[in-house]
Amino acid sequence: MSTQVGRIPASGRLRELGPINWVVAKLGARTVRAPQMHLVTTLGQHKRLFWMWLPYSLALLRGRLPIADTELVILRVAHLRACEYELQHHRWMARRRGLDAHKQQAIFAWPDSADELTDRQQALLDATDEFVKTRSISAPVWQRLSAHLDRRQLIEFCMLAGQYDGLAATMAALDIPLDYQDQE
């Protein structure tokens, strides 16, 4: 078991988080069945910024995209960015939303797994890959994605991919410890 600390120690202490963030951290840890939710106990130390980020993040998780699509995009971003923290949390969330272990393997193996994925899933994966790798989406991939998503969903897709790409970068830069150390 690792005893990783992180560049900003993930403090679960009331003094550093404040009472509201401390409660959010405790509830978050209970929800994910972890001793501590290090993302919350790290980001929660910047109280104002945390309270601006949290509602936005939650809105993207429960937005206009079907939840299975949301989890597919998050898993792909986490895979591309090698973000084990995101993968640990979203693998089990994705299973609960209809993306079983076999489907998740197909997401990680993309594009070699095209025959195991729907046209919609393939369009989402193509767009996610381009967004993360090039910071844009080419006209042909956009057209393909547009066949499956309406205008609001297209906007949300970009915001979702950007949010989780930025979150993966933030977690890497801050060296946020994993919540489930024994699964490294």
Side-chain angles (χ1 to χ4, degrees), residues 130-149:
E130 279 196 11
F131 187 95
V132 170
K133 293 174 183 176
T134 70
R135 312 309 280 157
S136 190
I137 301 172
S138 66
V141 172
W142 183 263
Q143 184 176 6
R144 187 168 174 214
L145 185 64
S146 297
H148 299 281
L149 305 181

PDB file of all heavy atoms in Angstrom, residues 130-149:
ATOM      1  N   GLU A 130     -10.106  13.110 -30.643  1.00  0.00           N
ATOM      2  CA  GLU A 130      -9.655  14.331 -31.322  1.00  0.00           C
ATOM      3  C   GLU A 130      -9.614  15.514 -30.364  1.00  0.00           C
ATOM      4  O   GLU A 130      -8.671  16.292 -30.383  1.00  0.00           O
ATOM      5  CB  GLU A 130     -10.553  14.653 -32.517  1.00  0.00           C
ATOM      6  CG  GLU A 130     -10.208  13.845 -33.734  1.00  0.00           C
ATOM      7  CD  GLU A 130     -10.804  14.416 -35.015  1.00  0.00           C
ATOM      8  OE1 GLU A 130     -11.334  15.561 -35.021  1.00  0.00           O
ATOM      9  OE2 GLU A 130     -10.733  13.702 -36.027  1.00  0.00           O
ATOM     10  N   PHE A 131     -10.650  15.644 -29.550  1.00  0.00           N
ATOM     11  CA  PHE A 131     -10.708  16.774 -28.617  1.00  0.00           C
ATOM     12  C   PHE A 131      -9.506  16.763 -27.678  1.00  0.00           C
ATOM     13  O   PHE A 131      -8.855  17.782 -27.482  1.00  0.00           O
ATOM     14  CB  PHE A 131     -12.017  16.734 -27.812  1.00  0.00           C
ATOM     15  CG  PHE A 131     -12.223  17.945 -26.957  1.00  0.00           C
ATOM     16  CD1 PHE A 131     -12.969  19.004 -27.429  1.00  0.00           C
ATOM     17  CD2 PHE A 131     -11.672  18.031 -25.695  1.00  0.00           C
ATOM     18  CE1 PHE A 131     -13.159  20.137 -26.648  1.00  0.00           C
ATOM     19  CE2 PHE A 131     -11.852  19.152 -24.897  1.00  0.00           C
ATOM     20  CZ  PHE A 131     -12.594  20.218 -25.381  1.00  0.00           C
ATOM     21  N   VAL A 132      -9.205  15.608 -27.115  1.00  0.00           N
ATOM     22  CA  VAL A 132      -8.106  15.508 -26.154  1.00  0.00           C
ATOM     23  C   VAL A 132      -6.749  15.649 -26.847  1.00  0.00           C
ATOM     24  O   VAL A 132      -5.868  16.343 -26.348  1.00  0.00           O
ATOM     25  CB  VAL A 132      -8.192  14.191 -25.354  1.00  0.00           C
ATOM     26  CG1 VAL A 132      -6.943  13.953 -24.527  1.00  0.00           C
ATOM     27  CG2 VAL A 132      -9.432  14.201 -24.457  1.00  0.00           C
ATOM     28  N   LYS A 133      -6.599  15.029 -27.984  1.00  0.00           N
ATOM     29  CA  LYS A 133      -5.289  15.023 -28.653  1.00  0.00           C
ATOM     30  C   LYS A 133      -4.985  16.300 -29.421  1.00  0.00           C
ATOM     31  O   LYS A 133      -3.827  16.716 -29.495  1.00  0.00           O
ATOM     32  CB  LYS A 133      -5.197  13.814 -29.587  1.00  0.00           C
ATOM     33  CG  LYS A 133      -5.174  12.497 -28.845  1.00  0.00           C
ATOM     34  CD  LYS A 133      -5.220  11.325 -29.812  1.00  0.00           C
ATOM     35  CE  LYS A 133      -5.275  10.003 -29.067  1.00  0.00           C
ATOM     36  NZ  LYS A 133      -5.422   8.862 -29.996  1.00  0.00           N
ATOM     37  N   THR A 134      -6.021  16.917 -30.034  1.00  0.00           N
ATOM     38  CA  THR A 134      -5.754  18.086 -30.885  1.00  0.00           C
ATOM     39  C   THR A 134      -6.368  19.375 -30.357  1.00  0.00           C
ATOM     40  O   THR A 134      -6.145  20.431 -30.941  1.00  0.00           O
ATOM     41  CB  THR A 134      -6.298  17.857 -32.319  1.00  0.00           C
ATOM     42  OG1 THR A 134      -7.729  17.871 -32.287  1.00  0.00           O
ATOM     43  CG2 THR A 134      -5.778  16.570 -32.916  1.00  0.00           C
ATOM     44  N   ARG A 135      -7.177  19.292 -29.288  1.00  0.00           N
ATOM     45  CA  ARG A 135      -7.876  20.430 -28.697  1.00  0.00           C
ATOM     46  C   ARG A 135      -8.962  20.967 -29.622  1.00  0.00           C
ATOM     47  O   ARG A 135      -9.403  22.110 -29.503  1.00  0.00           O
ATOM     48  CB  ARG A 135      -6.918  21.563 -28.317  1.00  0.00           C
ATOM     49  CG  ARG A 135      -5.695  21.121 -27.534  1.00  0.00           C
ATOM     50  CD  ARG A 135      -5.974  20.275 -26.344  1.00  0.00           C
ATOM     51  NE  ARG A 135      -6.398  21.065 -25.213  1.00  0.00           N
ATOM     52  CZ  ARG A 135      -7.101  20.592 -24.201  1.00  0.00           C
ATOM     53  NH1 ARG A 135      -7.434  19.351 -24.163  1.00  0.00           N
ATOM     54  NH2 ARG A 135      -7.455  21.359 -23.216  1.00  0.00           N
ATOM     55  N   SER A 136      -9.402  20.143 -30.584  1.00  0.00           N
ATOM     56  CA  SER A 136     -10.461  20.530 -31.508  1.00  0.00           C
ATOM     57  C   SER A 136     -11.120  19.260 -32.048  1.00  0.00           C
ATOM     58  O   SER A 136     -10.741  18.152 -31.661  1.00  0.00           O
ATOM     59  CB  SER A 136      -9.884  21.366 -32.652  1.00  0.00           C
ATOM     60  OG  SER A 136     -10.951  21.924 -33.417  1.00  0.00           O
ATOM     61  N   ILE A 137     -12.077  19.431 -32.934  1.00  0.00           N
ATOM     62  CA  ILE A 137     -12.752  18.303 -33.572  1.00  0.00           C
ATOM     63  C   ILE A 137     -12.859  18.628 -35.061  1.00  0.00           C
ATOM     64  O   ILE A 137     -13.373  19.692 -35.439  1.00  0.00           O
ATOM     65  CB  ILE A 137     -14.155  18.068 -32.967  1.00  0.00           C
ATOM     66  CG1 ILE A 137     -14.054  17.790 -31.463  1.00  0.00           C
ATOM     67  CG2 ILE A 137     -14.855  16.907 -33.674  1.00  0.00           C
ATOM     68  CD1 ILE A 137     -15.387  17.744 -30.741  1.00  0.00           C
ATOM     69  N   SER A 138     -12.373  17.742 -35.900  1.00  0.00           N
ATOM     70  CA  SER A 138     -12.391  17.961 -37.348  1.00  0.00           C
ATOM     71  C   SER A 138     -13.823  17.958 -37.882  1.00  0.00           C
ATOM     72  O   SER A 138     -14.744  17.420 -37.253  1.00  0.00           O
ATOM     73  CB  SER A 138     -11.580  16.868 -38.050  1.00  0.00           C
ATOM     74  OG  SER A 138     -12.227  15.607 -37.891  1.00  0.00           O
ATOM     75  N   ALA A 139     -14.009  18.537 -39.057  1.00  0.00           N
ATOM     76  CA  ALA A 139     -15.341  18.624 -39.666  1.00  0.00           C
ATOM     77  C   ALA A 139     -15.985  17.243 -39.862  1.00  0.00           C
ATOM     78  O   ALA A 139     -17.163  17.070 -39.529  1.00  0.00           O
ATOM     79  CB  ALA A 139     -15.272  19.395 -40.978  1.00  0.00           C
ATOM     80  N   PRO A 140     -15.261  16.244 -40.377  1.00  0.00           N
ATOM     81  CA  PRO A 140     -15.913  14.937 -40.562  1.00  0.00           C
ATOM     82  C   PRO A 140     -16.346  14.282 -39.239  1.00  0.00           C
ATOM     83  O   PRO A 140     -17.429  13.696 -39.158  1.00  0.00           O
ATOM     84  CB  PRO A 140     -14.844  14.083 -41.253  1.00  0.00           C
ATOM     85  CG  PRO A 140     -13.840  15.025 -41.798  1.00  0.00           C
ATOM     86  CD  PRO A 140     -13.916  16.265 -40.955  1.00  0.00           C
ATOM     87  N   VAL A 141     -15.513  14.398 -38.219  1.00  0.00           N
ATOM     88  CA  VAL A 141     -15.861  13.815 -36.920  1.00  0.00           C
ATOM     89  C   VAL A 141     -17.014  14.599 -36.297  1.00  0.00           C
ATOM     90  O   VAL A 141     -17.932  14.014 -35.707  1.00  0.00           O
ATOM     91  CB  VAL A 141     -14.632  13.746 -35.992  1.00  0.00           C
ATOM     92  CG1 VAL A 141     -15.014  13.339 -34.572  1.00  0.00           C
ATOM     93  CG2 VAL A 141     -13.605  12.772 -36.560  1.00  0.00           C
ATOM     94  N   TRP A 142     -17.015  15.926 -36.444  1.00  0.00           N
ATOM     95  CA  TRP A 142     -18.109  16.753 -35.933  1.00  0.00           C
ATOM     96  C   TRP A 142     -19.432  16.371 -36.613  1.00  0.00           C
ATOM     97  O   TRP A 142     -20.463  16.242 -35.956  1.00  0.00           O
ATOM     98  CB  TRP A 142     -17.816  18.227 -36.157  1.00  0.00           C
ATOM     99  CG  TRP A 142     -18.877  19.114 -35.583  1.00  0.00           C
ATOM    100  CD1 TRP A 142     -19.928  19.670 -36.243  1.00  0.00           C
ATOM    101  CD2 TRP A 142     -19.002  19.518 -34.218  1.00  0.00           C
ATOM    102  NE1 TRP A 142     -20.700  20.409 -35.382  1.00  0.00           N
ATOM    103  CE2 TRP A 142     -20.155  20.324 -34.126  1.00  0.00           C
ATOM    104  CE3 TRP A 142     -18.262  19.275 -33.067  1.00  0.00           C
ATOM    105  CZ2 TRP A 142     -20.574  20.893 -32.932  1.00  0.00           C
ATOM    106  CZ3 TRP A 142     -18.681  19.849 -31.880  1.00  0.00           C
ATOM    107  CH2 TRP A 142     -19.819  20.642 -31.824  1.00  0.00           C
ATOM    108  N   GLN A 143     -19.374  16.178 -37.917  1.00  0.00           N
ATOM    109  CA  GLN A 143     -20.584  15.812 -38.657  1.00  0.00           C
ATOM    110  C   GLN A 143     -21.122  14.463 -38.168  1.00  0.00           C
ATOM    111  O   GLN A 143     -22.323  14.306 -37.969  1.00  0.00           O
ATOM    112  CB  GLN A 143     -20.280  15.755 -40.151  1.00  0.00           C
ATOM    113  CG  GLN A 143     -21.502  15.466 -41.002  1.00  0.00           C
ATOM    114  CD  GLN A 143     -21.197  15.512 -42.485  1.00  0.00           C
ATOM    115  OE1 GLN A 143     -20.053  15.661 -42.899  1.00  0.00           O
ATOM    116  NE2 GLN A 143     -22.233  15.387 -43.286  1.00  0.00           N
ATOM    117  N   ARG A 144     -20.233  13.535 -37.955  1.00  0.00           N
ATOM    118  CA  ARG A 144     -20.643  12.210 -37.459  1.00  0.00           C
ATOM    119  C   ARG A 144     -21.240  12.323 -36.053  1.00  0.00           C
ATOM    120  O   ARG A 144     -22.269  11.719 -35.759  1.00  0.00           O
ATOM    121  CB  ARG A 144     -19.432  11.276 -37.460  1.00  0.00           C
ATOM    122  CG  ARG A 144     -19.769   9.859 -37.135  1.00  0.00           C
ATOM    123  CD  ARG A 144     -18.586   8.963 -37.438  1.00  0.00           C
ATOM    124  NE  ARG A 144     -18.889   7.628 -36.986  1.00  0.00           N
ATOM    125  CZ  ARG A 144     -18.003   6.793 -36.498  1.00  0.00           C
ATOM    126  NH1 ARG A 144     -16.734   7.139 -36.423  1.00  0.00           N
ATOM    127  NH2 ARG A 144     -18.362   5.600 -36.106  1.00  0.00           N
ATOM    128  N   LEU A 145     -20.611  13.105 -35.185  1.00  0.00           N
ATOM    129  CA  LEU A 145     -21.110  13.299 -33.830  1.00  0.00           C
ATOM    130  C   LEU A 145     -22.462  14.008 -33.854  1.00  0.00           C
ATOM    131  O   LEU A 145     -23.379  13.664 -33.101  1.00  0.00           O
ATOM    132  CB  LEU A 145     -20.099  14.098 -33.001  1.00  0.00           C
ATOM    133  CG  LEU A 145     -20.409  14.282 -31.523  1.00  0.00           C
ATOM    134  CD1 LEU A 145     -20.418  12.935 -30.795  1.00  0.00           C
ATOM    135  CD2 LEU A 145     -19.378  15.211 -30.887  1.00  0.00           C
ATOM    136  N   SER A 146     -22.611  14.979 -34.757  1.00  0.00           N
ATOM    137  CA  SER A 146     -23.853  15.741 -34.880  1.00  0.00           C
ATOM    138  C   SER A 146     -25.038  14.883 -35.302  1.00  0.00           C
ATOM    139  O   SER A 146     -26.193  15.254 -35.060  1.00  0.00           O
ATOM    140  CB  SER A 146     -23.678  16.881 -35.888  1.00  0.00           C
ATOM    141  OG  SER A 146     -22.704  17.788 -35.437  1.00  0.00           O
ATOM    142  N   ALA A 147     -24.780  13.764 -35.908  1.00  0.00           N
ATOM    143  CA  ALA A 147     -25.859  12.845 -36.286  1.00  0.00           C
ATOM    144  C   ALA A 147     -26.474  12.184 -35.051  1.00  0.00           C
ATOM    145  O   ALA A 147     -27.582  11.639 -35.129  1.00  0.00           O
ATOM    146  CB  ALA A 147     -25.335  11.784 -37.254  1.00  0.00           C
ATOM    147  N   HIS A 148     -25.776  12.231 -33.915  1.00  0.00           N
ATOM    148  CA  HIS A 148     -26.241  11.559 -32.698  1.00  0.00           C
ATOM    149  C   HIS A 148     -26.622  12.522 -31.575  1.00  0.00           C
ATOM    150  O   HIS A 148     -27.333  12.131 -30.643  1.00  0.00           O
ATOM    151  CB  HIS A 148     -25.159  10.605 -32.183  1.00  0.00           C
ATOM    152  CG  HIS A 148     -24.810   9.544 -33.157  1.00  0.00           C
ATOM    153  ND1 HIS A 148     -25.588   8.424 -33.352  1.00  0.00           N
ATOM    154  CD2 HIS A 148     -23.768   9.433 -34.025  1.00  0.00           C
ATOM    155  CE1 HIS A 148     -25.041   7.651 -34.275  1.00  0.00           C
ATOM    156  NE2 HIS A 148     -23.947   8.253 -34.705  1.00  0.00           N
ATOM    157  N   LEU A 149     -26.123  13.759 -31.626  1.00  0.00           N
ATOM    158  CA  LEU A 149     -26.348  14.706 -30.540  1.00  0.00           C
ATOM    159  C   LEU A 149     -27.018  15.972 -31.056  1.00  0.00           C
ATOM    160  O   LEU A 149     -26.722  16.412 -32.177  1.00  0.00           O
ATOM    161  CB  LEU A 149     -25.017  15.094 -29.870  1.00  0.00           C
ATOM    162  CG  LEU A 149     -24.126  13.977 -29.341  1.00  0.00           C
ATOM    163  CD1 LEU A 149     -22.874  14.562 -28.707  1.00  0.00           C
ATOM    164  CD2 LEU A 149     -24.868  13.086 -28.361  1.00  0.00           C
TER     165      LEU A 149
END
